[in-house]
Amino acid sequence: MNQAPALEHAVQAAERVLPFERVVLVLQGGGALGAYQGGVYQAIAEANIPVTWVCGTSIGGINGALLAGNRPERRVERLREFWEAVTEPPIRLPNIPWFSELPWNDNDHTRYWTNRMSAFSTMFHGAPNFFTPRPFPPISSAAEHPDQVSYYDTTPLRATLGRLVDFDLINEKPLRFSVAATNVRTGAPVYFDNLKQTLTAAHVMASASLPPGFPPTEIDGEYYWDGGVVSNSPMQLVIDDRPRYTALVFQVDLWDANGEVPLDIPSANLRALEIHSASRLNVTLEQYRKTQNSATRWQNFSRTFRSPVRTTRTFSSSARRRASRSRPSCSSNTRRTATKRPARPLSSPEPPCRSTGRRAMTIPSARSPNPACSNCRTFRKRRASSTCIAAG
């Protein structure tokens, strides 16, 4: 009687076999919207789909580190622990336990101002276990070091990553993990990959160093900002990865490129942020399709010419006539002929030339004999359509 639940549990624990070589999870940046990514991974895990590569930017890089830096059975737990830690609110009116039960709290207008109050509170007090405001940010004066140029200090995030992420496990490479950042000096996108280098908390923090709120992160003498400064989605890294393979790719879009025309300044700022942060997946895939189609056409073209290419020089009839007028008839012992035209039959051998003693042969031709050639004097009295070549 107890075998059915045990069997069901065993079936649920088995990994699903998919017709793909890899399963990739692409996590873009989006701040607090990154909490949705935790729910997406939970659904993937419950479907027993084994993820083999996590690629993230900004908050997506932090979520990716929580996945790659923990065993599969603890990943969802670590994601929930992180988001509960960074959203633990300070004491303020909207978070009093009985405030959410007030009758007017279900009104959309009330909810709007409640969210505004929460955002202002985070702006002035920071987020616990994530960042704290700087008392005197370098607005009108220069800072002593580049890592001080920001409104907030992200030292608490480093401690949180050290507590929830096992970087030794990441560098053992049971799961491929990549994070995107931006080189402050060159402005070029940079991808940190545990298959190519040893990753630390600094690489994850570099991917989440969004200016001017967060300071740049120094790695090997270079300073890096958030990867979203260049592209909010690391999908391009997945598409450009070599060698080619089949893959099932999950990308969590936190921003919508489509929206209404704003009618006030706050809405305009939000709309600009949505457009900037929205995934360029459609554009990227269209470029990939064009590249793939070009490669396929070239492969088909190459297969039609597998036989060795003939290097024999060919001439059209008009080109041969022009060439015959521009040089002597017997300037060479080898006559150039068209590759695709059958050679004209030679006539019977003639007596040797009186001048050189060499035997000559006649070949029907539209060219006239060359009077300067001693081999041709023997045939000067023959018809004008005959030309001789030295047969040796």
Side-chain angles (χ1 to χ4, degrees):
M1 296 177 60
N2 297 329
Q3 292 180 355
L7 180 61
E8 181 180 358
H9 179 74
V11 172
Q12 291 178 353
E15 290 186 350
R16 178 174 297 178
V17 179
L18 299 174
F20 302 97
E21 298 177 65
R22 300 183 187 180
V23 178
V24 186
L25 180 59
V26 180
L27 306 175
Q28 63 179 212
L33 296 177
Y36 290 103
Q37 297 172 347
V40 170
Y41 177 78
Q42 182 178 359
I44 293 175
E46 291 175 353
N48 301 317
I49 298 177
V51 177
T52 59
W53 184 11
V54 177
C55 188
T57 299
S58 192
I59 193 64
I62 296 176
N63 284 331
L66 293 168
L67 297 176
N70 288 281
R71 299 295 178 184
E73 62 274 9
R74 299 199 62 186
R75 290 171 182 170
V76 175
E77 176 188 348
R78 288 300 194 187
L79 284 169
R80 183 178 291 108
E81 184 177 352
F82 170 79
W83 283 102
E84 289 179 352
V86 299
T87 57
E88 181 181 348
I91 299 177
R92 56 183 184 269
L93 181 61
N95 296 103
I96 295 176
W98 48 265
F99 183 83
S100 59
E101 300 178 2
L102 295 177
W104 60 76
N105 202 34
D106 293 333
N107 184 279
D108 291 339
H109 189 69
T110 304
R111 187 179 298 107
Y112 170 82
W113 283 107
T114 300
N115 294 337
R116 283 295 183 91
M117 293 174 64
S118 178
F120 278 118
S121 176
T122 302
M123 184 173 63
F124 288 111
H125 297 92
N129 302 300
F130 201 137
F131 59 88
T132 56
R134 293 186 185 275
F136 302 101
I139 297 176
S140 58
S141 60
E144 295 181 359
H145 301 284
D147 55 8
Q148 298 176 350
V149 182
S150 65
Y151 289 109
Y152 300 96
D153 181 13
T154 55
T155 301
L157 176 60
R158 186 183 296 272
T160 302
L161 291 175
R163 178 169 52 89
L164 299 178
V165 178
D166 185 357
F167 285 94
D168 292 334
L169 178 62
I170 290 178
N171 295 310
E172 289 176 4
K173 309 177 184 64
L175 176 70
R176 185 178 180 182
F177 174 52
S178 307
V179 288
T182 303
N183 189 302
V184 178
R185 183 176 55 85
T186 64
V190 180
Y191 297 98
F192 302 116
D193 197 315
N194 65 343
L195 296 185
K196 301 177 181 179
Q197 60 197 123
T198 300
L199 299 187
T200 63
H203 296 91
V204 179
M205 294 183 64
S207 180
S209 298
L210 183 64
F214 299 154
T217 302
E218 182 182 6
I219 300 175
D220 297 332
E222 291 284 353
Y223 286 90
Y224 297 92
W225 270 336
D226 193 303
V229 173
V230 175
S231 176
N232 198 41
S233 174
M235 176 61 77
Q236 192 65 45
L237 174 64
V238 178
I239 292 177
D240 294 338
D241 191 44
R242 297 294 187 277
R244 292 295 188 187
Y245 50 84
T246 59
L248 173 63
V249 181
F250 295 94
Q251 173 167 284
V252 186
D253 287 333
L254 301 179
W255 305 89
D256 190 0
N258 301 315
E260 300 294 334
V261 178
L263 299 177
D264 53 51
I265 298 300
S267 299
N269 291 332
L270 178 60
R271 185 72 193 109
L273 179 62
E274 290 174 345
I275 295 174
H276 176 267
S277 302
S279 172
R280 301 296 182 268
L281 178 61
N282 294 335
V283 178
T284 302
L285 290 182
E286 184 63 27
Q287 293 175 350
Y288 173 73
R289 290 190 189 98
K290 292 180 180 179
T291 304
Q292 189 71 10
N293 291 338
S294 299
T296 303
R297 286 194 296 268
W298 173 251
Q299 291 176 357
N300 295 336
F301 178 78
S302 301
R303 279 195 289 266
T304 60
F305 292 93
R306 287 182 176 177
S307 58
V309 180
R310 302 188 65 179
T311 58
T312 305
R313 192 172 180 181
T314 60
F315 296 91
S316 63
S317 58
S318 60
R320 287 198 301 272
R321 286 194 295 270
R322 289 195 300 270
S324 64
R325 289 194 297 267
S326 62
R327 64 176 181 271
S329 302
C330 300
S331 59
S332 174
N333 289 337
T334 304
R335 182 166 183 238
R336 301 179 185 271
T337 60
T339 303
K340 296 183 179 180
R341 293 174 179 267
R344 295 173 180 174
L346 297 175
S347 64
S348 60
E350 295 289 344
C353 182
R354 291 194 300 268
S355 301
T356 62
R358 301 178 66 185
R359 186 180 298 278
M361 300 185 70
T362 60
I363 179 172
S365 173
R367 298 176 294 178
S368 60
N370 183 7
C373 180
S374 59
N375 292 335
C376 298
R377 293 171 185 170
T378 304
F379 309 100
R380 182 175 299 176
K381 294 182 180 180
R382 297 177 63 87
R383 64 181 184 273
S385 60
S386 297
T387 304
C388 75
I389 61 174

